């Protein structure tokens, strides 16, 4: 049994029958080759969802008949990952996996030891790739609420975000606190407000950055005895948080 494919249309039309056209309609009609009577979901990426069946198919578009509607509430606690910039496609790989896991926001961070720098037009294109990667991963994982990809945040802005979080965490290989042990250390659990998790670059978080974050109230945590790459550390940590907060219970 195959799962129902998800397509993006904002806002989700209020009509009982509407046309899915443009790139999404073309993908549905010519790539997925949906046929009359087959099911699909249409979402605005902000929690709005229409369960539909195909009513008619044309070359680059199709008509959708709405069978039902749903509103997916914003989950709590909200989980934000501050992801250090990484070279090659490792940043996009991190975004893809974080989206599939279910995080709510991804904040690009030019850490002191990040080899890559997002500047000018090149930076705008790089962020656009992160946004596109998150969108494709959200559709692949059948999400009705898509993660926001924020503008790049420098260390001072990350510090401020940590200072206002319900729970502020920094992944660090020398930390003595295990991430999985947090439910026994923080009350109430799950914490109120959003959880903000910082993932460093391949070269690690600089001592000065860690000191700034800890002064803002962040707790340094480790995943386990092994050291993960920046592209995989965030999703491993997010999986722990999504599990221990009950986000994966539903």
């Amino acid at each position: 049994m195959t799962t129902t494919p998800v397509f993006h249309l904002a806002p989700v039309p209020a009509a009982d029958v509407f046309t899915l056209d443009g790139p999404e309609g073309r993908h549905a009609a010519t790539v997925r080759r949906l046929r009359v009577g087959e099911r699909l979901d249409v979402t605005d990426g902000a929690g709005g969802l229409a369960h539909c069946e195909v009513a008619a198919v044309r070359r680059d578009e199709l008509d959708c008949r709405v069978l039902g509607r749903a509103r997916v509430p914003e989950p709590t606690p909200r989980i934000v990952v501050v992801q250090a910039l990484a070279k090659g496609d490792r940043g996009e790989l991190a975004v893809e996996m974080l989206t599939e896991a279910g995080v709510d926001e991804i904040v690009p961070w030019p850490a002191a030891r990040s080899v890559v720098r997002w500047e000018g037009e090149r930076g705008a294109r790089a962020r656009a790739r992160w946004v596109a990667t998150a969108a494709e991963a959200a559709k692949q994982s059948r999400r009705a609420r898509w993660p926001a990809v924020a503008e790049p945040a420098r260390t001072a802005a990350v510090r401020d975000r940590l200072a206002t979080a319900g729970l502020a965490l920094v992944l660090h290989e020398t930390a003595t606190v295990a991430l999985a042990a947090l439910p026994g250390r923080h009350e109430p659990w799950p914490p109120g407000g959003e959880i903000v998790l910082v993932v460093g670059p391949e070269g690690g978080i600089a001592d000065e950055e860690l000191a700034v974050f800890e002064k803002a109230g962040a707790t340094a945590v480790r995943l386990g005895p092994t050291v993960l790459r920046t592209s995989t550390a965030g999703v491993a940590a997010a999986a722990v948080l999504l599990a221990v907060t009950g986000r994966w219970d539903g």
Side-chain angles (χ1 to χ4, degrees):
M1 179 178 178
T2 59
T3 55
T4 304
V6 173
F7 298 91
H8 182 254
L9 186 59
V12 175
D16 292 336
V17 178
F18 63 89
T19 298
L20 183 66
D21 54 13
E24 293 291 86
R26 188 175 307 111
H27 184 79
T30 65
V31 178
R32 293 299 300 259
R33 294 184 176 275
L34 294 182
R35 296 295 178 252
V36 172
E38 291 189 290
R39 300 293 181 88
L40 70 155
D41 288 339
V42 175
T43 182
D44 57 7
L49 190 65
H51 303 294
C52 308
E53 72 173 7
V54 179
V57 180
R58 291 177 290 280
R59 179 178 179 181
D60 290 329
E61 62 184 26
L62 47 79
D63 292 340
C64 304
R65 179 179 296 108
V66 178
L67 304 177
R69 297 179 185 272
R71 184 76 190 172
V72 177
E74 186 168 354
T76 55
R78 194 167 183 269
I79 296 178
V80 178
V81 175
V82 178
Q83 175 66 53
L85 303 185
K87 62 183 179 180
D89 61 356
R90 292 198 172 275
E92 291 163 46
L93 176 61
V95 170
E96 179 180 50
M97 293 192 295
L98 289 169
T99 300
E100 291 177 358
V103 306
D104 304 294
E105 184 177 353
I106 302 166
V107 181
W109 172 41
R113 293 176 180 168
S114 290
V115 176
V116 175
R117 293 295 167 190
W118 287 6
E119 297 174 350
E121 185 61 30
R122 180 180 178 182
R125 289 196 302 269
R127 179 176 175 271
R129 287 195 296 271
W130 280 33
V131 172
T133 298
E136 288 305 312
K139 287 188 286 187
Q140 174 67 32
S141 54
R142 313 300 194 257
R143 289 185 60 169
R145 281 193 172 274
W146 294 10
V149 177
E151 293 290 341
R154 297 196 177 276
T155 298
V158 174
R159 173 203 63 203
D160 294 344
R161 190 72 178 267
L162 292 169
T164 60
L167 178 62
L169 305 170
V170 181
L171 285 184
H172 201 275
E173 62 190 61
T174 65
T176 58
V177 177
L179 179 60
L182 284 177
R185 294 172 177 264
H186 290 267
E187 297 297 339
W189 189 266
E194 63 186 16
I195 298 175
V196 180
L197 170 73
V198 179
V199 181
E202 293 292 338
I205 295 175
D207 291 343
E208 317 85 74
E209 293 169 328
L210 181 60
V212 166
F213 296 157
E214 289 182 326
K215 189 174 181 180
T219 300
V221 293
R222 59 178 173 80
L223 280 169
T226 60
V227 178
L228 279 67
R229 304 198 72 159
T230 188
S231 54
T232 53
V235 71
V240 173
L241 291 171
L242 288 159
V244 300
T245 58
R247 286 274 303 267
W248 274 0
D249 289 351

